[in-house]
Amino acid sequence: MTDSTRVSPEPATESPAARPRADRYDPKAVEPKWQARWAQGRVFEVDEDPAKPKYYCLEMFPYPSGRIHMGHVRVYSIGDVIARYKRMRGFNVLHPMGWDAFGMPAENAAIKNKTHPAEWTYKNIGYMKSQLQRMGLSYDWRREVTTCAPEYYRWEQWLFTRMFQKGLAYKRLGTVNWCPVDETVLANEQVEGGRCWRCGAEVTTRELSQWFFRITAYAEELLEGLDRLTGWPERVVTMQRNWIGKSVGAEIEFDVEGSSEPIRVFTTRPDTLGGATFMSLAPEHPRVAELAKQGGREAEVAAFVEKVRRQERIRRTAEDQEKEGVFTGAYCVNPLNGRRMPIWVANFVLMDYGTGAVMAVPTGDQRDFEFARKYGLPMVLSVTPKGEPPLDPAKMTEAYTAPGVLVNSGPFDGMDSEAAKDAIAEWLAARGKGRKTVSYRLRDWGISRQRYWGAPVPIIYCPDHGAVPVPDDQLPVVLPEDVEFTGTGASPLAKLERFVNAPCPTCGKMGRRETDTMDTFVESSWYFARYTSPGYDRGMFDRLKAKYWLPVDQYIGGVEHAILHLLYARFYTKVMRDFGLVDFDEPFTNLLSQGMVIKDGAKMSKSHGNVVDPDALIDQYGADTARLFSLFAAPPEKDLEWSDQGVQGCFRFISRVWRLVVEEPDLWRDGPEVGVSVDREALPRELAALRRKTHATIKKVTDDLDGFRFNTAIAAIMELVNAIYLAREAHGTAGAAGSVLREAIVAVVRLLAPFVPHVADELWERMGGRETLVFQNWPTFDPALVQADEVLIVVQVNGKVRSRITLPADSPEDDVRAAALADARVREFTGGKPPRKVVVVPNKLVSIVV
Ligand code: ANZ
């Protein structure tokens, strides 16, 4: 359980209805007023200011689907608290917002409702922007970036042409989802349970020529860089590491009987080579047909390959998947011992990993073990446990995969298996039969989409010059607007002759324009840089401005983007760096991955029918309550369980703070910033305690905000508010009590400013504060008062120090005496007997005489 659930925001007994109406907290009056003031004062607009430290706070921008949902409320509240807090700490804060505006839903809507994707998208943007503005988020709206605007994707096309010239963008065959009924390519999102989202037909795959970004060229750097991302959650770093999937091993060549072309395998266990008894090829391996022909088993092999093609890729590699294969009839030769090895085709070998060929070692690898048992293939031991009699392959029930010593391995017999990995790789290398190598799971990034609503790939195919990049002065290649959406056949762009027919930029001969558009992940790979100079028309961004603002100091977004978006943005950053556009390696110094919003045990979503509409929430309680609840109900990285009572509690808490200020106008006669001028010694105990609590709370909220523990920060403010009510009841508001209360209430309002900015500004104004809290300094605490919260008291027995006890400062003398006498160390010396004399020096010393 978190701290925040232990502190009840408000005793349920107090009823706001008891107050006269004019004094009531009314977010409908407060919030629009302050939103207008902020906009008028342009308080969130920032420019480069070398005199101030910069802070770039960024939340992942939304897809303009139509309306914001509670997940948006949560992530944007988190980002806004950080931005507002850093502003109060004196940073020059860049906090922008924009729209990830290309993508399938707009096109699907066009097919269904006959509205143009652009119209649908811009309408949604307009509405969602008004929703975000109602939340009082502190964005510099001048910097709004919309990725479907030609002025944005122009620069993406510009970089594409550079990447093409450097070989970082290239075209090759790739697999796409294909609907045989609509005769169209489907995006992954359009495949629902293996069927076409539109017509329900079973989806098949097709090989199409596609564009790729060579992200694998950066595999090692993307992996290594993870070690330096100390501001990222460990779990995201681990997910990226696994996705890149580096394996160190060897490539080994096996001569094929009756062929001059050897087959290369990739293995992480060259030490097991002596136990390799057959070879397994991926069904898609280019040598399969030739070998089956040579082995006279063409029909069997072709039937098997066709069957595997229909199996899903994930299924093929799952551990419980039945291992299946077929013999090609051909043989190769083990380079270590000359053994003849049958060549098989197996469903669990994938073409896009390693070399698509595996040397099978049934005694060392579990899949090979099962495969060999099933098809009666030979088993030879090569690694066996150290210091034990060798295993007997006939009696093994599973493969032996741990390290051990080598047997049946010729010159390497008796060698430690770990040492043998290198030794065998070197032995092979010396004979031209292999070499040490590294393999990555990471694949090149397929960016081609056979869709309309995306940035066109800026290439023209010329009969003489092949693929020619569109020159800079012809960019952007603008997406034509007057197209027809049927959802069937080729992409709408391919049917548009006006678009397709284009002269070759090199020779002027009529060519054909590329009709593929780019994956929307390309736009989101660099938008953070565009915010630094959104209107810039001489490049992707103004380098000087980018130099001031970048990299992003704090990035915030859902963990569902832990791999692809964050990996692509890291890759793109390194590409931009290598083109001299930026001078850093990583785009996001710190990352916060917020949890989901849950209701009734399930993720809040339309499909679960448990959605709470942010508009309704704001209508009823106001944006400040919506923000406060989404920050209070859970730590940011955990899931947030929706609770109507929690929302009401947050509203009541704000009302309670409101009353503290408006019920005591006399406290504010001289404004909020009058210091506390009271004789500390003369303060009644509760008031001294309240002062300490005020300063301790400032310290705690500051520490918690630095650590993004928003929920415990809010809980601490709630506790302070409770203490203020108690002190006011006991001591009234006159004289010294008034000045201590004032100090406490002022602290509450200022500490609340990042969380509930509208009501905080309103109260600040009612207290006589100047302007808005946006630019007020963050409150500071008196370290002496914070330390004094607890004191260390020395306990002497007969004049000698025997123990030390910690007690709340200013504890009553009786409490101190009792605690000292009960201390275990003290009792050793008093023998538990009643003392002759006890002297208490407050907050310092207890002297016991026995
Ligand atoms: C022989 C061997 C013996 C292997 C042994 C393992 C254990 P990781 O660690 O994931 O990189 N392999 C290689 N390419 C493959 C492909 N395209 N599809 C399926 N499996 C493939 O795995 C590397 C190991 O996976 C390689 O090492 C190879 O099997 C298999 F006792 O080679 B090994």
Side-chain angles (χ1 to χ4, degrees):
M1 202 186 267
T2 62
D3 280 353
S4 58
T5 49
R6 264 192 270 124
V7 184
S8 136
E10 152 99 348
T13 49
E14 260 171 79
S15 148
R19 292 266 126 208
R21 209 151 175 35
D23 286 329
R24 288 279 296 276
Y25 166 50
D26 178 11
K28 284 210 167 67
V30 171
E31 294 181 354
K33 166 181 164 183
W34 285 97
Q35 284 161 16
R37 286 259 191 109
W38 298 330
Q40 227 162 40
R42 303 165 62 169
V43 298
F44 307 125
E45 298 181 8
V46 283
D47 290 303
E48 303 71 50
D49 178 356
K52 268 183 158 186
K54 70 93 182 177
Y55 190 87
Y56 187 172
C57 177
L58 182 66
E59 301 106 57
M60 291 179 185
F61 65 168
Y63 177 76
S65 55
R67 306 172 70 81
I68 64 169
H69 52 69
M70 284 309 299
H72 292 126
V73 170
R74 185 172 194 202
V75 61
Y76 299 137
S77 295
I78 292 171
D80 203 50
V81 165
I82 297 172
R84 285 178 181 267
Y85 171 62
K86 292 290 177 182
R87 240 176 241 122
M88 291 177 85
R89 295 299 303 252
F91 287 90
N92 194 27
V93 175
L94 176 59
H95 190 212
M97 182 42 72
W99 310 97
D100 192 10
F102 273 137
M104 275 317 298
E107 209 163 325
N108 291 347
I111 297 165
K112 275 187 183 147
N113 315 327
K114 304 275 167 224
T115 47
H116 194 276
E119 190 190 324
W120 185 87
T121 303
Y122 280 102
K123 196 172 121 245
N124 289 347
I125 288 175
Y127 186 71
M128 289 172 76
K129 183 172 176 180
S130 74
Q131 287 186 299
L132 294 184
Q133 285 171 329
R134 275 188 83 196
M135 280 185 64
L137 302 167
S138 62
Y139 297 127
D140 180 352
W141 281 109
R142 292 175 313 166
R143 295 173 182 272
E144 184 175 354
V145 159
T146 305
T147 59
C148 64
E151 59 160 42
Y152 181 82
Y153 64 72
R154 168 183 179 186
W155 297 108
E156 192 166 301
Q157 293 173 334
W158 176 89
L159 190 68
F160 180 98
T161 62
R162 276 26 181 207
M163 291 173 75
F164 174 73
Q165 277 148 355
K166 277 257 172 348
L168 287 170
Y170 68 95
K171 207 171 189 193
R172 68 160 159 84
L173 281 183
T175 313
V176 295
N177 304 307
W178 179 257
C179 172
V181 174
D182 290 343
E183 301 202 301
T184 188
V185 172
L186 297 174
N188 287 338
E189 307 89 284
Q190 294 175 311
V191 182
E192 294 169 353
R195 293 177 176 279
C196 172
W197 70 289
R198 198 159 171 274
C199 70
E202 203 163 318
V203 172
T204 60
T205 58
R206 265 208 174 183
E207 297 281 305
L208 272 190
S209 186
Q210 310 237 64
W211 287 96
F212 288 84
F213 280 162
R214 205 178 296 281
I215 189 172
T216 53
Y218 288 84
E220 188 58 36
E221 203 198 330
L222 287 166
L223 185 67
E224 255 178 20
L226 291 173
D227 294 335
R228 287 186 294 280
L229 288 178
T230 50
W232 282 35
E234 193 48 48
R235 97 177 140 144
V236 174
V237 168
T238 304
M239 284 163 86
Q240 292 221 347
R241 189 168 283 129
N242 293 341
W243 185 263
I244 296 167
K246 178 179 180 174
S247 283
V248 179
E251 255 176 36
I252 303 180
E253 278 184 13
F254 288 74
D255 287 333
V256 177
E257 284 182 7
S259 159
S260 58
E261 274 296 301
I263 293 180
R264 287 177 304 122
V265 305
F266 170 70
T267 178
T268 48
R269 297 289 309 276
D271 53 313
T272 64
L273 180 57
T277 53
F278 62 99
M279 178 178 284
S280 302
L281 298 182
E284 302 87 352
H285 195 282
R287 301 284 296 274
V288 165
E290 162 212 327
L291 294 171
K293 187 168 180 200
Q294 182 196 322
R297 295 177 49 84
E298 278 173 286
E300 293 92 329
V301 172
F304 178 75
V305 168
E306 192 42 45
K307 177 176 165 193
V308 177
R309 253 189 217 289
R310 270 170 290 159
Q311 290 176 346
E312 268 183 84
R313 190 195 143 89
I314 326 149
R315 288 291 327 147
R316 268 175 63 181
T317 47
E319 253 168 55
D320 59 352
Q321 170 72 29
E322 174 75 21
K323 316 247 166 332
E324 287 180 287
V326 67
F327 180 39
T328 60
Y331 289 86
C332 62
V333 181
N334 187 320
L336 183 63
N337 52 27
R339 187 190 298 117
R340 224 176 159 221
M341 294 166 46
I343 303 176
W344 283 64
V345 179
N347 62 344
F348 60 85
V349 181
L350 301 174
M351 192 53 223
D352 63 2
Y353 186 61
T355 60
V358 177
M359 68 177 207
V361 184
T363 55
D365 181 274
Q366 188 57 27
R367 292 178 304 187
D368 297 343
F369 183 90
E370 290 168 27
F371 197 84
R373 277 281 149 89
K374 177 167 178 178
Y375 293 106
L377 291 159
M379 294 203 183
V380 172
L381 192 66
S382 53
V383 177
T384 190
K386 203 174 183 161
E388 290 175 28
L391 297 166
D392 176 359
K395 295 196 184 120
M396 287 169 81
T397 53
E398 59 180 9
Y400 177 72
T401 56
V405 288
L406 266 60
V407 292
N408 299 323
S409 301
F412 302 99
D413 278 354
M415 192 183 263
D416 205 77
S417 60
E418 283 305 309
K421 284 183 179 171
D422 268 359
I424 291 185
E426 277 156 24
W427 184 90
L428 289 165
R431 285 156 183 76
K433 292 284 177 208
R435 60 193 174 97
K436 282 192 224 173
T437 175
V438 171
S439 219
Y440 298 90
R441 287 211 176 265
L442 184 66
R443 299 275 72 100
D444 277 341
W445 173 13
I447 59 146
S448 268
R449 298 290 178 271
Q450 289 72 37
R451 291 282 124 211
Y452 166 75
W453 193 232
V457 170
I459 291 285
I460 293 166
Y461 300 99
C462 166
D464 296 341
H465 295 96
V468 181
V470 176
D472 291 356
D473 61 4
Q474 291 170 33
L475 292 178
V477 177
V478 176
L479 201 54
E481 297 249 329
D482 50 342
V483 283
E484 217 199 309
F485 299 95
T486 57
T488 56
S491 141
L493 283 183
K495 289 183 261 182
L496 209 65
E497 286 301 311
R498 261 180 312 104
F499 180 76
V500 173
N501 298 329
C504 167
T506 307
C507 65
K509 208 183 225 180
M510 197 41 89
R512 286 183 71 76
R513 200 183 283 285
E514 173 62 80
T515 57
D516 284 357
T517 54
M518 291 191 237
D519 180 5
T520 60
F521 275 111
V522 182
E523 283 89 61
S524 54
S525 292
W526 69 285
Y527 76 112
F528 56 90
R530 184 72 180 169
Y531 282 136
T532 63
S533 43
Y536 195 62
D537 64 2
R538 277 169 295 159
M540 295 177 79
F541 42 81
D542 180 329
R543 280 190 225 186
L544 283 179
K545 295 191 171 177
K547 197 172 171 59
Y548 177 82
W549 289 114
L550 293 174
V552 173
D553 295 280
Q554 184 64 54
Y555 198 31
I556 306 145
V559 78
E560 65 273 20
H561 294 298
I563 299 177
L564 295 185
H565 162 57
L566 291 171
L567 194 66
Y568 294 153
R570 294 181 61 218
F571 159 66
Y572 221 74
T573 299
K574 291 170 199 302
V575 170
M576 292 192 292
R577 178 202 60 199
D578 290 347
F579 281 108
L581 301 169
V582 297
D583 58 4
F584 52 88
D585 303 317
E586 293 288 344
F588 313 121
T589 309
N590 296 289
L591 174 70
L592 177 66
S593 295
Q594 92 278 358
M596 291 185 300
V597 180
I598 307 276
K599 187 165 182 271
D600 312 323
K603 181 182 174 174
M604 214 183 246
S605 72
K606 265 190 216 151
S607 56
H608 289 120
N610 58 355
V611 172
V612 176
D613 180 25
D615 276 350
L617 180 68
I618 294 174
D619 283 342
Q620 192 174 356
Y621 295 102
D624 282 335
T625 294
R627 295 169 57 119
L628 191 67
F629 172 74
S630 57
L631 294 161
F632 175 60
E637 63 282 358
K638 292 272 158 58
D639 287 348
L640 183 158
E641 175 82 43
W642 184 264
S643 147
D644 290 331
Q645 287 98 313
V647 174
Q648 287 154 17
C650 285
F651 180 81
R652 281 203 306 270
F653 167 71
I654 297 174
S655 311
R656 208 157 178 245
V657 175
W658 176 269
R659 291 198 303 278
L660 272 184
V661 174
V662 302
E663 282 176 359
E664 306 289 352
D666 284 356
L667 280 180
W668 317 115
R669 213 173 298 126
D670 302 315
E673 286 174 286
V674 190
V676 183
S677 54
V678 286
D679 179 0
R680 204 181 146 209
E681 304 297 311
L683 270 187
R685 210 156 41 80
E686 291 92 343
L687 289 179
L690 179 60
R691 278 215 79 193
R692 282 198 308 275
K693 194 169 184 67
T694 299
H695 286 260
T697 305
I698 295 173
K699 177 174 191 314
K700 174 158 175 62
V701 173
T702 306
D703 290 347
D704 282 354
L705 276 174
D706 285 333
F708 300 157
R709 294 180 297 272
F710 311 118
N711 56 324
T712 54
I714 295 167
I717 303 173
M718 288 173 172
E719 277 186 47
L720 178 58
V721 169
N722 287 343
I724 295 172
Y725 268 93
L726 288 178
R728 189 178 73 171
E729 207 154 286
H731 296 277
T733 57
S739 81
V740 173
L741 285 175
R742 180 170 55 227
E743 180 187 47
I745 297 169
V746 167
V748 164
V749 171
R750 291 170 70 171
L751 292 175
L752 280 176
F755 301 97
V756 288
H758 310 89
V759 69
D761 259 350
E762 177 67 20
L763 292 176
W764 181 248
E765 187 179 65
R766 287 180 182 231
M767 295 189 301
R770 274 172 298 113
E771 291 182 323
T772 151
L773 283 166
V774 170
F775 300 122
Q776 292 291 322
N777 287 334
W778 185 247
T780 52
F781 56 89
D782 178 348
L785 280 170
V786 171
Q787 265 167 22
D789 211 14
E790 280 197 331
V791 288
L792 191 68
I793 296 175
V794 171
V795 187
Q796 294 181 343
V797 181
N798 292 339
K800 285 215 173 79
V801 176
R802 294 302 187 187
S803 188
R804 289 178 172 81
I805 54 177
T806 308
L807 288 175
D810 300 323
S811 295
E813 206 176 304
D814 287 348
D815 293 3
V816 178
R817 182 200 309 263
L821 289 172
D823 183 74
R825 294 259 305 141
V826 171
R827 289 171 61 148
E828 270 176 45
F829 293 95
T830 60
K833 277 179 267 155
R836 272 206 291 146
K837 196 172 147 205
V838 180
V839 180
V840 176
V841 182
N843 294 332
K844 287 211 172 67
L845 179 97
V846 181
S847 174
I848 302 169
V849 182
V850 290

